[in-house]
Amino acid sequence: MTTQPVIAIEGITHAYQTDTGPLPVLHDISFDIAPGGFTAVVGPSGCGKSTLTKLVSGLLKPDSGRVILDGKPVTSPRPTVGMAFQNPVLLEWRSILRNVLLPLEIVRGHGLSREQAEARAHELLTLVGLSGFEHKRPSELSGGMRQRASLCRALIHRPSVLILDEPFGALDAFTREDLWQIMFKLRIEQGVTCMLITHDLRESMFLADEVIVLSDRPAGIQHRLTVPLGQDRTIEDLYKPEIVECLAELRRQIQIAQGRRSATEEAA
Ligand SMILES: Nc1ncnc2c1ncn2[C@@H]1O[C@H](COP(=O)(O)OP(=O)(O)OP(=O)(O)O)[C@@H](O)[C@H]1O
Ligand SMILES: [Mg+2]
């Protein structure tokens, strides 16, 4: 028996309509993410990665193809999807706890009483190492702490799907590695199905089960790599010879994608 994927992307193609005509961005992209799975998407800057997150979350409609989440085609944004971006955008006039609880004020039918909601927020804040910071304002926290709070906010309503668009991109290297470990723990303990967009190949290898390399615009799937790491991974695993080899292959694939762009630009 095959398990139904939580995220199924079926042949999506999308172009933006601009003043100078259509700008084809994505072409015939298909992949699935199994329940509790984690797929990272990498590719040249401007190839259409954020566009893909908007199509999966229902913020944009594809020109053709479809996205199926939890067995149902996506036609508009859904409360069962959590999102986190490069800029955590926490509300300065609210405490960290009240920022984390915010989605519950918007999402109807979550079924949590105020006490249960606060207990869940405390549980998540403890998981990410922010216990004791519940009543601080966002400006009293470091960038890494703010991003950890935004991950709690994205997970508070128990979404089945978490979409991450470069959430660790603005952090320094050490904070980023801390956040990878926290994200991996969240992923396992919350059982959420994740799609991550990143520019950082080590990040993609540390967090994901599969890495998808997109070609340049209009982007298709250029390469897929299964990460040879289990659920007990550590940062040190990134130095294992087989992982170093996978990273070299990913780097090579990105260079091919970028090379195609230079070749096209030269020809123009
Ligand atoms: N609303 C829009 N209208 C027109 N063009 C757009 C719009 N949004 C994005 N684009 C264009 O579509 C292309 C893909 O953009 P997108 O943001 O998806 O790329 P990306 O892969 O996320 O880039 P980056 O790696 O820099 O974040 C770019 O050329 C961008 O300029
Ligand atoms: Mg982007």
Side-chain angles (χ1 to χ4, degrees):
M1 200 185 85
T2 52
T3 327
Q4 177 179 278
V6 172
I7 304 178
I9 297 169
E10 298 181 348
I12 58 172
T13 291
H14 189 72
Y16 286 110
Q17 299 308 319
T18 71
D19 295 343
T20 49
L23 177 74
V25 175
L26 297 172
H27 180 73
D28 196 17
I29 306 246
S30 298
F31 64 91
D32 289 347
I33 312 182
F38 195 123
T39 294
V41 178
V42 300
S45 184
C47 76
K49 301 179 294 297
S50 295
T51 303
L52 182 62
T53 66
K54 289 176 190 152
L55 291 162
V56 173
S57 60
L59 294 167
L60 272 180
K61 289 191 173 56
D63 295 335
S64 59
R66 59 183 191 162
V67 175
I68 315 265
L69 292 186
D70 297 314
K72 285 177 259 136
V74 173
T75 50
S76 58
R78 287 213 200 139
T80 53
V81 174
M83 297 188 86
F85 307 95
Q86 185 162 352
N87 178 354
V89 232
L90 297 173
L91 303 177
E92 198 46 53
W93 60 91
R94 285 183 162 231
S95 66
I96 291 302
L97 178 65
R98 293 196 61 235
N99 266 286
V100 171
L101 291 169
L102 184 65
L104 298 179
E105 294 172 24
I106 302 159
V107 173
R108 297 269 155 250
H110 52 72
L112 293 178
S113 67
R114 191 194 160 100
E115 289 71 31
Q116 287 169 326
E118 288 196 4
R120 172 147 176 83
H122 284 298
E123 175 205 330
L124 285 167
L125 286 165
T126 303
L127 261 177
V128 304
L130 283 181
S131 175
F133 291 88
E134 290 85 349
H135 302 294
K136 300 274 186 207
R137 301 273 165 186
S139 61
E140 295 177 88
L141 268 56
S142 70
M145 292 161 99
R146 282 199 291 273
Q147 195 52 275
R148 282 186 263 161
S150 93
L151 289 173
C152 296
R153 182 182 55 189
L155 290 167
I156 188 74
H157 58 301
R158 294 193 188 281
S160 61
V161 168
L162 184 60
I163 297 176
L164 304 156
D165 193 351
E166 301 198 52
F168 316 119
L171 304 172
D172 67 81
F174 294 115
T175 310
R176 201 179 304 168
E177 290 189 0
D178 279 348
L179 267 276
W180 295 351
Q181 295 177 75
I182 288 167
M183 185 64 235
F184 196 77
K185 194 164 69 166
L186 283 176
R187 171 214 158 168
I188 300 296
E189 295 191 7
Q190 301 294 309
V192 64
T193 303
C194 303
M195 184 176 97
L196 167 77
I197 306 297
T198 181
H199 278 113
D200 187 326
L201 301 182
R202 292 173 74 244
E203 177 174 305
S204 73
M205 291 294 292
F206 182 74
L207 287 171
D209 309 319
E210 182 177 42
V211 183
I212 289 183
V213 181
L214 294 184
S215 62
D216 202 7
R217 212 179 54 236
I221 294 181
Q222 169 167 319
H223 186 72
R224 298 176 75 141
L225 183 146
T226 302
V227 177
L229 290 173
Q231 296 203 343
D232 53 351
R233 52 188 84 175
T234 64
I235 295 287
E236 285 67 42
D237 289 336
L238 294 174
Y239 300 98
K240 284 182 172 169
E242 65 270 32
I243 300 300
V244 171
E245 218 168 277
C246 289
L247 284 166
E249 178 58 19
L250 287 176
R251 204 161 289 125
R252 203 175 71 83
Q253 293 292 337
I254 298 270
Q255 277 164 358
I256 294 170
Q258 284 169 336
R260 286 207 186 117
R261 178 187 299 199
S262 332
T264 325
E265 277 165 5
E266 269 167 38

